[in-house]
């Protein structure tokens, strides 16, 4: 097992997980962007932010996925009929954001397990809010990457303490 | 002679995943019933007696492995085939699913064709799936689980 103080570059793991999920499920391609190009809020609406916690025997962490409502609407439409009811649509957006984070976190968990770090994943939590903050000094390993997809932007953040 | 359409129970806390599965199997002549966690899944399974259960691993209230264990303890449902859906491809999860008698597993995000091929090994689907199942090979990293 790799010792916890070894270096682990999470950026390529994050990129592979995100690309895998978006290509396999939605046949959409992601393009990396500078985090400076991602606004505090996407237009008038807040970001949808979903979180999956990682629990391991030697470390714990979290995976956060920040997406816009418009991108969730676009991806939802590609899955088939969407509800016309506004509250139901809001629920569909949040559910999709949570499931995306669940799939991405699953892929990240698999990559971390291959590197010798085993984590159990929580079910996703979704909330609406301002842009994700940068990592803290408490992070042993961290990654924060920005992406565009079909005109929308998203941010993936991984923190492991 | 007519036969009953195959009935699939999808158990996943994500409505998005249940939508994807319904969109995949309803056009193939399947009847879909749904549950959002293992506890609901057991109740729906007892009522609907599905031909196949597609079961998420990580869910609130009752997770997929616990539901699978309960199914195997129930004389009326212990032989119902189960395909486990999991976001984590860890050997530990897969071994646990095999121990409890899951017929197969598939890792999210899954390719529709791969899932169709796996389901078509268990129940008879409509013509579209027959063509796809014949043409598609499952991913090398995924395969049927050994019979317990």
């Amino acid at each position: 097992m790799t010792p916890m103080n070894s270096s682990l570059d999470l950026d390529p793991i994050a990129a592979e997980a995100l690309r895998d999920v978006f290509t396999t499920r939605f046949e959409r391609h992601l393009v990396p962007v500078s985090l400076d190009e991602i606004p505090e809020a996407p237009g008038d609406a807040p970001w949808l932010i979903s979180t999956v916690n990682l629990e391991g025997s030697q470390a714990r962490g979290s995976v956060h996925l920040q997406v816009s409502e418009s991108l969730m609407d676009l991806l939802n439409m590609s899955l088939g009929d969407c509800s016309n009811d506004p509250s139901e649509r809001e629920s569909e957006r949040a559910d999709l954001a949570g499931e995306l984070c669940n799939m991405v976190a699953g892929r990240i968990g698999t990559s971390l397990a291959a590197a010798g770090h085993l984590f159990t994943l929580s079910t996703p939590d979704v909330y609406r809010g301002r842009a994700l903050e940068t990592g803290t000094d408490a992070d042993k390993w961290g990654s924060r990457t920005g992406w565009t997809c079909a005109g929308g932007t998203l941010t993936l953040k991984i923190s492991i303490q | 002679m007519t036969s009953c359409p195959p009935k699939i129970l999808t158990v996943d806390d994500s409505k998005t995943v249940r939508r994807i599965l319904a969109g995949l199997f309803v056009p193939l002549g399947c009847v879909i019933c749904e549950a959002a966690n293992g506890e609901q899944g057991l109740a729906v399974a007892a009522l609907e007696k599905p031909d196949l259960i597609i079961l998420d691993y990580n869910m609130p209230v009752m997770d997929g492995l616990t539901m699978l264990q309960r199914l195997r303890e129930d004389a009326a449902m212990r032989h119902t085939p189960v395909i486990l859906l999991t976001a984590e491809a860890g050997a530990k999860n897969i071994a646990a699913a095999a121990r409890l008698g899951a017929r197969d597993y598939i890792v999210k995000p899954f390719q529709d064709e791969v899932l169709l091929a796996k389901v078509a090994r268990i129940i008879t689907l409509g013509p579209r799936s027959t063509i796809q199942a014949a043409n598609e090979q499952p991913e090398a990293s995924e395969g049927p689980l050994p019979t317990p």
Side-chain angles (χ1 to χ4, degrees):
Chain A
M1 187 168 185
T2 310
M4 281 303 294
N5 58 2
S6 68
S7 65
L8 182 63
D9 186 359
L10 293 177
D11 282 359
I13 290 175
E16 186 185 8
L18 258 184
R19 286 192 163 122
D20 184 31
V21 168
F22 275 75
T23 306
T24 305
R25 188 67 262 161
F26 299 101
E27 297 177 348
R28 295 277 179 182
H29 294 287
L30 294 169
V31 179
V33 293
S34 161
L35 289 166
D36 297 337
E37 294 177 43
I38 296 180
E40 273 294 300
D44 295 333
W47 292 105
L48 271 172
I49 299 171
S50 42
T51 299
V52 168
N53 292 316
L54 310 173
E55 193 70 47
S57 60
Q58 296 182 357
R60 62 176 53 183
S62 50
V63 174
H64 309 268
L65 184 66
Q66 170 189 294
V67 294
S68 63
E69 290 189 348
S70 59
L71 180 59
M72 291 302 93
D73 282 344
L74 187 79
L75 297 182
N76 252 327
M77 279 189 283
S78 74
L79 296 176
D81 292 341
C82 293
S83 173
N84 289 324
D85 177 62
S87 68
E88 186 65 23
R89 271 188 89 154
E90 196 167 306
S91 160
E92 286 177 352
R93 284 183 198 120
D95 188 83
L96 177 57
E99 186 55 27
L100 277 174
C101 190
N102 182 43
M103 290 190 279
V104 170
R107 283 297 200 233
I108 290 168
T110 303
S111 296
L112 291 173
H117 307 289
L118 297 175
F119 292 97
T120 302
L121 276 60
S122 73
T123 51
D125 280 326
V126 183
Y127 65 96
R128 287 173 168 76
R130 291 171 64 82
L132 284 170
E133 292 173 357
T134 53
T136 68
D137 291 342
D139 289 349
K140 194 170 288 268
W141 301 316
S143 165
R144 189 161 163 261
T145 50
W147 305 84
T148 62
C149 175
T153 55
L154 55 146
T155 306
L156 178 65
K157 178 182 167 185
I158 310 171
S159 301
I160 297 177
Q161 292 100 34
Chain B
M1 195 174 102
T2 58
S3 57
C4 290
K7 190 182 283 184
I8 300 177
L9 168 60
T10 62
V11 187
D12 198 305
D13 55 322
S14 167
K15 190 181 170 189
T16 301
V17 175
R18 299 199 307 269
R19 254 176 81 201
I20 291 169
L21 294 172
L24 197 56
F25 291 106
V26 168
L28 300 173
C30 298
V31 173
I32 298 289
C33 38
E34 299 183 356
N37 59 59
E39 197 173 273
Q40 278 184 16
L42 284 172
V44 177
L47 194 69
E48 298 286 346
K49 298 178 176 49
D51 301 296
L52 170 68
I53 300 174
I54 300 178
L55 178 59
D56 186 27
Y57 178 88
N58 199 8
M59 291 181 289
V61 185
M62 181 189 288
D63 65 28
L65 282 187
T66 307
M67 177 179 164
L68 186 52
Q69 188 161 13
R70 298 279 175 83
L71 278 173
R72 296 310 176 226
E73 291 165 358
D74 186 315
M77 297 189 283
R78 71 165 50 135
H79 298 298
T80 306
V82 171
I83 293 178
L84 206 75
L85 270 181
T86 173
E88 299 168 76
K92 191 176 148 197
N93 295 351
I94 293 159
R99 257 198 321 276
L100 290 169
R103 188 73 69 88
D104 213 329
Y105 74 97
I106 191 159
V107 179
K108 296 180 188 178
F110 56 84
Q111 290 180 316
D112 294 348
E113 293 77 11
V114 176
L115 179 59
L116 284 172
K118 287 173 182 285
V119 169
R121 286 195 203 121
I122 298 170
I123 58 173
T124 304
L125 298 173
R128 182 180 153 230
S129 69
T130 310
I131 295 163
Q132 285 183 327
N135 290 339
E136 297 291 336
Q137 293 295 318
E139 288 172 10
S141 61
E142 297 171 3
L145 295 167
T147 308

